Amino acid sequence: MKEKFESWWLDYGTADKPDYRGWEDLRRALVTEGVHLPQYPNDAPWTLLNALYSAKYGRLVGWRFKTFIEVAQRIEPAHRQHLHYFRKALAAYGRADQLRAEDRLGTALPH
């Protein structure tokens, strides 16, 4: 089921016309596992999900930015509650070097 959610979310971030029926199918399937998704995908923690999937794949997922570094530059000041998780994902998926390579100013993820 995790793979179905991930696949749906990755498509959602890039689709011209999102598959809302697929979201409803996911909601019904996951409720049997004790997981309750919001009625609409826009009500999901999309900033966190997009940040984590971007870290996993090393590319933009669900953002309309031009570069990966812009995700970090957005998370740090505007969504600090997700910063810890984003940093952990960068480490888990080995993306820190990629992020540093794009961070010409050295300010993406201050300590």
Side-chain angles (χ1 to χ4, degrees):
M1 188 53 63
K2 178 178 82 170
E3 294 81 13
K4 285 184 180 183
F5 179 88
E6 183 172 326
S7 177
W8 189 93
W9 195 265
L10 294 175
D11 288 343
Y12 175 65
T14 59
D16 291 333
K17 191 170 184 179
D19 175 19
Y20 292 113
R21 178 168 282 149
W23 179 257
E24 190 57 37
D25 293 344
L26 280 170
R27 288 184 72 227
R28 277 195 300 277
L30 285 171
V31 80
T32 64
E33 296 181 29
V35 176
H36 299 276
L37 294 177
Q39 183 173 358
Y40 304 105
N42 281 345
D43 293 333
W46 61 269
T47 300
L48 178 60
L49 290 167
N50 289 343
L52 296 177
Y53 284 130
S54 293
K56 181 176 182 177
Y57 290 102
R59 62 177 174 78
L60 298 172
V61 172
W63 302 95
R64 301 209 189 281
F65 300 137
K66 293 181 181 178
T67 60
F68 182 58
I69 188 69
E70 291 176 271
V71 175
Q73 291 167 336
R74 176 68 177 172
I75 294 294
E76 196 283 318
H79 301 281
R80 288 193 67 85
Q81 72 273 23
H82 302 317
L83 185 58
H84 172 75
Y85 304 108
F86 184 60
R87 283 184 171 156
K88 292 284 189 183
L90 291 172
Y93 296 114
R95 300 287 180 213
D97 288 341
Q98 177 185 354
L99 194 65
R100 277 193 285 278
E102 290 186 27
D103 188 9
R104 296 188 193 334
L105 300 176
T107 59
L109 296 174
H111 300 295

